[in-house]
Amino acid sequence: MTALVGDIGGTNARFALWRGQQIESVRVLPTVDYPRPEDAIRAYLQGVGLAVDALQAVCLACAGPVSGDEFAFTNNHWRLSRKAFCQGLGLSNLLLINDFTAMALGMTRLREGELIEVCPGQSETGAARLVIGPGTGLGVATLLPLKDGGWRALPGEGGHVCLPIGSAREAALWTRLHDKLGHVNAEAILSGGGLLELYRTSCALDNEAVKLTSPAEVTAAALNGDAYAAAVLEQFCVWLGRIAGDNVLTTGARGGVYIAGGIIPRFVEFFRRSGFSQSFRDKGNMSRYFDNIPVWVVTAKYPGLEGAGVALQQLLEGRHSGD
């Protein structure tokens, strides 16, 4: 079987061929360059020298809740009708899944050297695992082990839960964010754009001049010894710990936590030294609940594509992978 798998986020669409239960011919295309996902797929196929009619199936992992015929991508301009998509490309098999369903299933395909330990621990047998990752947005999913040795991914929109407040400074930052944004969700801070928003809000709170103009500049300044930028990045890590800990308590994810997405791997050593671990377990009388829960940063290049392939394979084999 030759299938196409895609992992489509707010900024980039990653495509690959799925053959022999492996991905190959990976290409990354900016979503802004194409009016529709169909156009990007045709460009990808042309680039790898494959005709559209050579495909037996397509699985696309998409940012946002997936249901019904019409799908609007959360963080880019694309829209998709399942019916029109299949007719336009001559397909009979199209699987749409949430992007963090794919990311979660991608954790089952990790290879040696693709995890960096942040918090030591031991995965509890049979327990759920949490997958969370700041990128263009904040993705959250739960991975459940099945009795037959397989896995089921539970999609959700955990990036849109309310941003928690755990200190007086966080309350002051939240107040300014609320004045500007109204509802303050976790993604408002725990994302690429959110890091810049956190920097600007911090500057306004502290009467500091705004000198940095992109998330990359904030990160680079922090890593190069800028004390103020480092404090902002530290707050980012602390807030990620609070959200991850809340999700562990909600889902019972004592099997471990995977920190995925494109942001944290850029400053892993800073992250490991940050207040993430303390805020992760700072839950009052439930703090001991976290004593043996491992946390890892995922450094694999294309876990979303791998997970889309797993989802497609499970569908073809009649096993449930999640929505």
Side-chain angles (χ1 to χ4, degrees):
M1 182 187 72
T2 297
L4 181 141
V5 292
D7 177 18
I8 302 172
T11 305
N12 293 312
R14 299 166 181 84
F15 296 113
L17 299 179
W18 179 256
R19 287 173 169 160
Q21 300 192 35
Q22 300 289 334
I23 60 170
E24 59 182 66
S25 302
V26 176
R27 302 285 191 278
V28 181
L29 305 180
T31 56
V32 71
D33 289 350
Y34 302 91
R36 303 178 305 162
E38 295 95 318
D39 301 311
I41 288 172
R42 289 184 184 279
Y44 166 78
L45 291 173
Q46 183 178 9
V48 299
L50 197 68
V52 174
D53 57 13
L55 298 177
Q56 280 83 56
V58 171
C59 176
L60 299 180
C62 310
V66 178
S67 63
D69 179 68
E70 294 284 340
F71 178 80
F73 291 78
T74 300
N75 292 318
N76 68 42
H77 64 284
W78 283 358
R79 301 182 69 87
L80 183 149
S81 160
R82 293 175 194 253
K83 182 178 179 180
F85 182 93
C86 289
Q87 288 177 344
L89 295 178
L91 291 170
S92 56
N93 292 308
L94 169 64
L95 175 63
L96 290 185
I97 60 174
N98 175 267
D99 62 333
F100 253 72
T101 294
M103 184 66 79
L105 290 172
M107 300 303 98
T108 70
R109 302 268 299 186
L110 294 175
R111 300 166 181 82
E112 186 176 353
E114 293 182 336
L115 287 177
I116 297 174
E117 184 180 79
V118 176
C119 300
Q122 183 65 45
S123 298
E124 185 175 298
T125 302
R129 301 186 181 194
L130 175 70
V131 185
I132 183 168
T136 303
L138 177 65
V140 182
T142 307
L143 190 61
L144 297 178
L146 303 177
K147 292 182 179 180
D148 63 1
W151 298 85
R152 178 175 180 177
L154 301 181
E157 292 299 326
H160 296 273
V161 301
C162 296
L163 186 70
I165 298 173
S167 69
R169 179 166 181 83
E170 289 176 5
L173 289 167
W174 184 93
T175 298
R176 286 182 175 268
L177 289 165
H178 184 266
D179 289 343
K180 180 178 180 179
L181 304 174
H183 174 64
V184 185
N185 61 23
E187 187 174 271
I189 291 300
L190 298 175
S191 59
L195 175 58
L196 184 60
E197 184 67 56
L198 177 58
Y199 168 73
R200 289 171 173 166
T201 303
S202 299
C203 288
L205 181 63
D206 298 329
N207 294 316
E208 288 280 337
V210 176
K211 301 175 182 177
L212 308 173
T213 60
S214 72
E217 287 185 13
V218 175
T219 302
L223 299 182
N224 289 327
D226 183 313
Y228 194 80
V232 171
L233 196 60
E234 168 72 14
Q235 180 62 65
F236 182 93
C237 296
V238 166
W239 248 321
L240 181 56
R242 296 203 196 287
I243 287 291
D246 285 351
N247 275 279
V248 166
L249 289 176
T250 300
T251 61
R254 294 171 66 89
V257 177
Y258 298 98
I259 308 292
I263 293 180
I264 302 302
R266 297 174 185 173
F267 52 90
V268 172
E269 291 309 313
F270 182 102
F271 184 71
R272 295 177 76 187
R273 296 191 304 268
S274 76
F276 168 87
S277 298
Q278 178 60 38
S279 62
F280 174 62
R281 56 178 293 131
D282 185 16
K283 303 298 178 187
N285 62 3
M286 288 301 294
S287 295
R288 298 302 301 272
Y289 186 86
F290 296 84
D291 280 355
N292 204 35
I293 297 177
V295 179
W296 310 279
V297 170
V298 179
T299 60
K301 288 188 71 174
Y302 303 114
L305 287 175
E306 295 273 9
V310 172
L312 184 59
Q313 201 69 40
Q314 289 188 349
L315 176 68
L316 296 173
E317 293 172 359
R319 294 163 62 185
H320 194 72
S321 60
D323 296 324

